[in-house]
Amino acid sequence: MRRACVVGHPVAHSRSPLLHGYWLRRYGIEGGYGREDVAPDQAQAFFRELADRGYVGCNVTIPHKEVAFRMVDAADETARALGACNTLWLEDGRLLGANTDVYGFLANLDAGAPGWDKACGTALVLGAGGASRAVVFGLLSRGVERVILANRTLSRAEAVAALLGGKVIPIPLDEVERHLPDAMLVVNTTSLGMKGQPPLELNFARLPDTAVVTDAVYVPLETPFLKAARARGLAAVDGLGMLLHQGVPGFERWFGVRPEVDTALRAEIMADLAAKGQLEA
Ligand code: ATR
């Protein structure tokens, strides 16, 4: 039986087992997908011994994506650009890696706001952590001309700009207001709005009427940020689809079927969020 897992620390909250478990059942594949909580000082050894542990591959989540990148024999272009892998697989005895977070972000946006990139001159990205890097890289790959990158700690936004190039303009978070009239897309990658965190406040009145708003946070599914955007009449795309789509390339590598992200899958994950009281803020 082919087995994969998600490796992180902590990892108990990860929905990846639910996601891949759904697809294994749906396609009638006799496979397994588990969870591995691996402490930082054990991560290198874990990836080295992946095959010996009986796995054909794995997903990698916080805080191990950079270590995973350093451990693979070869990585795809996106992973090389970001220095981080979230998907690993074994091929002819070699450990290979990819970064599918970028794909997940773009596929979710394409599904939720088709054509968003047609006239996206300027995008505004809030936050400068790992998720932000994947988002900014994805936007640039789709031809966005300018990414205003706002972060509480300016130096972290500057580090992302240094990594991803001159089209990225770092600004402090409290200067975001004056860039709103130009922003055709606004992406939250900060942890603001996450259950238990303060909401992310933005003056949505200043955004163009045709702007699209999306949030990497999906607990709660409908963040105060997305609610306010919808109340203003803007197209708003929740972050759950990022998780669902990023899993597609890994599942295909490990189990040989390219799985579909459909409404039944979304409903299954939403039922889990609801059962845990995580749908609402
Ligand atoms: P990830 O890798 O998941 O993107 P991260 O590296 O922890 O997560 O980044 C979290 C982001 O949320 C950062 O941009 C962080 O801002 P700082 O770089 O200044 O820490 C942002 N963030 C978290 N709490 C915040 C708060 N209370 N106000 C503003 N930004 C916040």
Side-chain angles (χ1 to χ4, degrees):
M1 182 168 95
R2 295 172 75 80
R3 289 168 57 233
C5 63
V6 55
V7 185
H9 185 70
V11 81
H13 64 280
S14 172
R15 253 103 192 173
S16 288
L18 201 61
L19 170 64
H20 292 282
Y22 171 89
W23 281 330
L24 287 170
R25 271 182 280 119
R26 153 126 196 225
Y27 296 104
I29 295 169
E30 227 185 286
Y33 189 101
R35 241 182 257 275
E36 291 277 5
D37 193 327
V38 176
D41 63 343
Q42 299 299 313
Q44 283 200 10
F46 187 91
F47 294 127
R48 203 179 299 120
E49 296 158 7
L50 197 63
D52 296 336
R53 290 171 185 272
Y55 290 117
V56 296
C58 64
N59 282 125
V60 184
T61 189
I62 292 166
H64 297 323
K65 293 184 188 188
E66 288 79 16
V67 185
F69 172 70
R70 290 196 295 274
M71 292 301 293
V72 295
D73 295 306
D76 75 352
E77 193 192 335
T78 309
R80 291 201 304 274
L82 299 176
C85 285
N86 76 324
T87 303
L88 307 185
W89 67 98
L90 287 149
E91 205 171 290
D92 303 326
R94 297 202 321 150
L95 184 62
L96 304 183
N99 187 307
T100 71
D101 288 329
V102 174
Y103 167 80
F105 168 69
L106 292 173
N108 185 41
L109 213 45
D110 287 339
W116 66 271
D117 55 341
K118 291 283 184 296
C120 193
T122 299
L124 172 61
V125 176
L126 307 162
S132 166
R133 284 163 199 239
V135 164
V136 172
F137 182 83
L139 295 177
L140 294 175
S141 78
R142 292 289 285 269
V144 169
E145 287 160 26
R146 210 161 69 113
V147 178
I148 310 281
L149 182 59
N151 198 46
R152 178 179 60 180
T153 311
L154 181 61
S155 60
R156 291 189 82 199
E158 288 169 343
V160 178
L163 180 77
L164 298 178
K167 292 179 176 169
V168 184
I169 298 150
I171 64 162
L173 193 56
D174 52 18
E175 282 178 24
V176 95
E177 289 280 320
R178 67 187 155 94
H179 294 280
L180 294 177
D182 296 328
M184 294 309 296
L185 175 72
V186 182
V187 187
N188 176 42
T189 75
T190 75
S191 45
L192 291 172
M194 210 177 264
K195 215 171 169 70
Q197 299 277 326
L200 173 58
E201 315 261 8
L202 210 64
N203 184 358
F204 287 97
R206 302 199 66 195
L207 282 172
D209 292 343
T210 51
V212 174
V213 175
T214 185
D215 202 330
V217 173
Y218 68 88
V219 174
L221 187 62
E222 189 79 356
T223 58
F225 180 69
L226 290 177
K227 260 196 184 123
R230 273 193 238 280
R232 153 81 172 82
L234 302 173
V237 181
D238 69 58
L240 181 57
M242 279 178 75
L243 166 76
L244 307 182
H245 286 282
Q246 66 75 36
V248 169
F251 188 92
E252 185 177 21
R253 294 264 183 212
W254 308 318
F255 302 115
V257 173
R258 189 162 183 92
E260 225 185 300
V261 172
D262 57 14
T263 48
L265 168 61
R266 225 182 116 85
E268 171 124 338
I269 309 284
M270 280 173 64
D272 183 66
L273 291 170
K276 297 187 167 78
Q278 295 176 334
L279 270 187
E280 295 295 327

